[in-house]
C-alpha cells in the first residue's frame, strides 16, 4: 500500500526566526532550519527539545559516542580532515560527558548517604547497651589524667582488647594530623587547636601571643577545619565534593597547557594547536565516559576496581595516539610514556592548587 504523506499544518505564514515567507507546506524553514510549529511553547515541546539530542538514535550524539568508544582516534582524524558534519562538536561533547559524570557521581553519593543513614539507625540501638561501658571508660581516663603517666605496652594492649579509648599522651601524639611544613604558623595553630579544641580564635591568638589580625583569625579557623577532617566524615565528603567541582573547572586551564606539550612532542606533524586540542578533548571525553561507567557499575556491585578503569583508558589512549598521529608502535610508546609523565606532573600541580583553593574557600 502506498503510504499517505501528511501535509504540514501551517502554523505561521513566515518563519518566526528569520522571517522567510512560507508557501504553505514547509515543515522546516528552508533558510534557517527552524521547525514551523508556531510561537506557543508547551511543556511537552520543551521537554522534547531538551532530550531530543540524547534519545534520538539518528543524531550526532549517538553516532559520535559509539564511534568515539569503538574506534579510538577515528573521530579526531575525520574532524581534522574536514569530515565534521556527522559528528558532534568536540568541546560540546566534552561538556556533555562531564555533566553526565557529575550527575552519576551525585546519584552515587546520594545513595551512599542513604545507606549510611540506615546503618546509623541500626547503630543507635547498640549504643544504648554501651552506656555502662562508656561510664567505666570515663572513670579510667580520669584516673589516667590524674596520674599524668604514660601507659606501658601491657596496659595499652589490655585497653585495646577491652576496646577502651584512652587519653594517653603517646596516643595523642600518634593521632593523624595535617602538616604544612611542620614549623609554619598554621602548624602551630593546628597543634594548639588539637590540644584546646573548645577555645575560639580570639582567645587562642591571645594565648599564643599572636596579633588579632584578619589573617591570623583566618589561619586559625583553617586550623579548626583541618582538625575537623579527622573527626567528622561529613566534612571530609563535603571537602572532596568541593575539590571535585573546582577540579572540573581547573581542567579547562590544564588541558590547553597539556596540549602545548603534545604539540611539542609531535612538532614534525603539521597539525595546528587547535587540531591537537581536538584530540585532547576527545580522549578526555572518553576518560569521563569510562569513569561514569565505573561509578554506574559500582552502584550495583563493588567488585570493579579503579585499576580496571585506568588500564582501559591507558590502552585506549595508546591506540588513539597510534591511529591519530600515524606513527610506529615504538615511537608511539615513547611518546605515550612522555605524554603520561607530563599529564601526571600537571595533574599533581592542579590537585595541589585545587586542594589549597578548596581549603581556603571551604
Amino acid at each position: 500500500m502506498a503510504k499517505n504523506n501528511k501535509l504540514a499544518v501551517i502554523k505561521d505564514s513566515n518563519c518566526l526566526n528569520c522571517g522567510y515567507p512560507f508557501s504553505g507546506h514547509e515543515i522546516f524553514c528552508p533558510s534557517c532550519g527552524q521547525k514551523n510549529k508556531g510561537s506557543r511553547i508547551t511543556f511537552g515541546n520543551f521537554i522534547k527539545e531538551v532530550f531530543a539530542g540524547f534519545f534520538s538514535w539518528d543524531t550526532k550524539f549517538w553516532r559520535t559516542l559509539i564511534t568515539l568508544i569503538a574506534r579510538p582516534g577515528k573521530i579526531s582524524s575525520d574532524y581534522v580532515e574536514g569530515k565534521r558534519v556527522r559528528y558532534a562538536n568536540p568541546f560540546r561533547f566534552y561538556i556533555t560527558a562531564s555533566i553526565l559524570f557529575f550527575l552519576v557521581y551525585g546519584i552515587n553519593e546520594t545513595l551512599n548517604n542513604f545507606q549510611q543513614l540506615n546503618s546509623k539507625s541500626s547503630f543507635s540501638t547498640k549504643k544504648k547497651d554501651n552506656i555502662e561501658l562508656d561510664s567505666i571508660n570515663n572513670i579510667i581516663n580520669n584516673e589516667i589524667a590524674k596520674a599524668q603517666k604514660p601507659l606501658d605496652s601491657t596496659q595499652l594492649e589490655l585497653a585495646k582488647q577491652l576496646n577502651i579509648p584512652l587519653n594517653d599522651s603517646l596516643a595523642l601524639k600518634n593521632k593523624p594530623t595535617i602538616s604544612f611544613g611542620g614549623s609554619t604558623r598554621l602548624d602551630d595553630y593546628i597543634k594548639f587547636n588539637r590540644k584546646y579544641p573548645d577555645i575560639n580564635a580570639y582567645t587562642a591568638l591571645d594565648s599564643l601571643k599572636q596579633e588579632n589580625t584578619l589573617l591570623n583569625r583566618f589561619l586559625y579557623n583553617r586550623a579548626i577545619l583541618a582538625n575537623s577532617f579527622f573527626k567528622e566524615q561529613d566534612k571530609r565528603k563535603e571537602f572532596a565534593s568541593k575539590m571535585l567541582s573546582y577540579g572540573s573547572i581547573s581542567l579547562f586551564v590544564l588541558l590547553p597547557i597539556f596540549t602545548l606539550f603534545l604539540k611539542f612532542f609531535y612538532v614534525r606533524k603539521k597539525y595546528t594547536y587547535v587540531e591537537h586540542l581536538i584530540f585532547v578533548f576527545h580522549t578526555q571525553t572518553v576518560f569521563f565516559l569510562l569513569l561514569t561507567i565505573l561509578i554506574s557499575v559500582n552502584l550495583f556491585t563493588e567488585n570493579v576496581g579503579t585499576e580496571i578503569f585506568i588500564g582501559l583508558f591507558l590502552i585506549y589512549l595508546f591506540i588513539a595516539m597510534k591511529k591519530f598521529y600515524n606513527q610506529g608502535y615504538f615511537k608511539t610508546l615513547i611518546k605515550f610514556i612522555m605524554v603520561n609523565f607530563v599529564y601526571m606532573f600537571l595533574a599533581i600541580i592542579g590537585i595541589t592548587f585545587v586542594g589549597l583553593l578548596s581549603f581556603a574557600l571551604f
Side-chain angles (χ1 to χ4, degrees), residues 202-218:
Y202 294 95
T203 307
L205 291 174
D206 184 63
S207 301
L208 290 167
K209 301 187 184 324
Q210 295 282 340
E211 293 184 14
N212 191 0
T213 61
L214 178 62
L215 176 61
N216 285 340
R217 290 196 301 272
F218 171 78

Side-chain angles (χ1 to χ4, degrees), residues 293-340:
I293 294 173
L294 174 67
I295 296 175
S296 302
V297 172
N298 284 334
L299 287 174
F300 307 98
T301 177
E302 296 183 355
N303 296 328
V304 181
T306 311
E307 60 276 1
I308 297 178
F309 152 74
I310 296 175
L312 288 175
F313 177 72
L314 290 178
I315 293 173
Y316 178 93
L317 179 60
F318 179 81
I319 298 174
M321 289 177 63
K322 171 73 173 61
K323 291 188 175 180
F324 179 71
Y325 293 106
N326 196 24
Q327 290 187 334
Y329 285 100
F330 182 74
K331 281 188 177 181
T332 303
L333 179 62
I334 296 299
K335 293 180 180 180
F336 172 81
I337 295 173
M338 292 191 297
V339 162
N340 280 281

Side-chain angles (χ1 to χ4, degrees), residues 263 266-272 276 324-327:
K263 182 172 175 58
Y266 288 97
V267 66
R268 293 187 179 181
K269 291 289 181 180
K270 301 303 180 183
Y271 290 137
T272 65
H276 287 289
F324 179 71
Y325 293 106
N326 196 24
Q327 290 187 334

Side-chain angles (χ1 to χ4, degrees), residues 198-251:
D198 298 327
I199 295 180
N200 58 37
Y202 294 95
T203 307
L205 291 174
D206 184 63
S207 301
L208 290 167
K209 301 187 184 324
Q210 295 282 340
E211 293 184 14
N212 191 0
T213 61
L214 178 62
L215 176 61
N216 285 340
R217 290 196 301 272
F218 171 78
L219 290 176
Y220 193 83
N221 286 327
R222 295 306 93 188
I224 296 174
L225 176 64
N227 287 327
S228 69
F229 289 153
F230 299 104
K231 300 176 184 178
E232 304 176 31
Q233 185 179 11
D234 292 338
K235 284 278 188 182
R236 295 195 296 270
K237 285 188 174 182
E238 188 179 352
F239 181 75
S241 298
K242 186 171 286 290
M243 274 196 65
L244 190 63
S245 62
Y246 287 145
S248 63
I249 299 174
S250 67
L251 277 176

Side-chain angles (χ1 to χ4, degrees), residues 10-297:
I10 299 176
K11 301 289 184 180
D12 294 283
S13 58
N14 298 317
C15 176
L16 298 177
N17 183 54
C18 66
Y20 183 87
F22 293 142
S23 59
H25 64 276
E26 289 89 346
I27 299 177
F28 295 93
C29 174
S31 178
C32 67
Q34 177 169 289
K35 192 172 184 179
N36 179 21
K37 57 180 180 181
S39 60
R40 301 201 57 180
I41 302 175
T42 64
F43 181 76
N45 288 337
F46 179 75
I47 296 298
K48 285 180 182 178
E49 287 183 1
V50 170
F51 293 100
F54 293 97
F55 298 105
S56 178
W57 286 94
D58 58 349
T59 60
K60 295 180 180 180
F61 176 87
W62 293 105
R63 186 185 301 113
T64 305
L65 177 64
I66 295 171
T67 308
L68 187 64
I69 295 177
R71 303 180 68 182
K74 168 66 176 173
I75 296 182
S76 300
S77 298
D78 286 350
Y79 214 86
V80 169
E81 292 172 1
K83 304 172 185 177
R84 302 166 188 169
V85 177
R86 68 186 76 172
Y87 302 119
N89 179 273
F91 179 74
R92 189 182 304 165
F93 199 74
Y94 166 78
I95 295 294
T96 303
S98 61
I99 292 174
L100 182 63
F101 162 72
F102 285 110
L103 178 64
V104 175
Y105 177 81
I107 294 173
N108 182 59
E109 287 297 305
T110 302
L111 291 177
N112 288 337
N113 292 335
F114 181 75
Q115 291 174 357
Q116 286 183 0
L117 286 175
N118 288 338
S119 62
K120 285 181 181 179
S121 61
S122 61
F123 175 76
S124 61
T125 58
K126 297 179 182 179
K127 193 174 181 180
K128 296 178 181 178
D129 300 331
N130 295 331
I131 295 177
E132 185 175 351
L133 180 60
D134 290 340
S135 61
I136 296 173
N137 293 344
N138 292 332
I139 295 172
I140 293 174
N141 285 323
N142 289 334
E143 292 299 322
I144 293 171
K146 291 177 183 179
Q148 294 294 324
K149 292 181 181 180
L151 301 179
D152 57 32
S153 59
T154 305
Q155 290 171 317
L156 287 172
E157 183 63 27
L158 179 61
K160 185 177 180 181
Q161 292 178 3
L162 293 175
N163 196 25
I164 298 175
L166 298 174
N167 294 328
D168 182 58
S169 59
L170 294 177
L172 284 173
K173 291 181 181 178
N174 292 329
K175 278 187 176 181
T177 184
I178 295 177
S179 177
F180 292 87
S183 58
T184 64
R185 194 188 319 175
L186 186 56
D187 287 308
D188 294 337
Y189 292 167
I190 290 174
K191 292 175 184 177
F192 185 86
N193 179 253
R194 289 184 68 211
K195 191 174 182 180
Y196 306 104
D198 298 327
I199 295 180
N200 58 37
Y202 294 95
T203 307
L205 291 174
D206 184 63
S207 301
L208 290 167
K209 301 187 184 324
Q210 295 282 340
E211 293 184 14
N212 191 0
T213 61
L214 178 62
L215 176 61
N216 285 340
R217 290 196 301 272
F218 171 78
L219 290 176
Y220 193 83
N221 286 327
R222 295 306 93 188
I224 296 174
L225 176 64
N227 287 327
S228 69
F229 289 153
F230 299 104
K231 300 176 184 178
E232 304 176 31
Q233 185 179 11
D234 292 338
K235 284 278 188 182
R236 295 195 296 270
K237 285 188 174 182
E238 188 179 352
F239 181 75
S241 298
K242 186 171 286 290
M243 274 196 65
L244 190 63
S245 62
Y246 287 145
S248 63
I249 299 174
S250 67
L251 277 176
F252 287 103
V253 179
L254 292 179
L255 290 182
I257 296 175
F258 172 73
T259 305
L260 289 174
F261 287 92
L262 196 63
K263 182 172 175 58
F264 174 75
F265 292 148
Y266 288 97
V267 66
R268 293 187 179 181
K269 291 289 181 180
K270 301 303 180 183
Y271 290 137
T272 65
Y273 171 82
V274 176
E275 290 169 342
H276 287 289
L277 187 62
I278 288 172
F279 175 77
V280 170
F281 273 129
H282 281 148
T283 53
Q284 194 65 32
T285 299
V286 174
F287 179 87
F288 273 122
L289 291 175
L290 290 177
L291 199 55
T292 303
I293 294 173
L294 174 67
I295 296 175
S296 302
V297 172

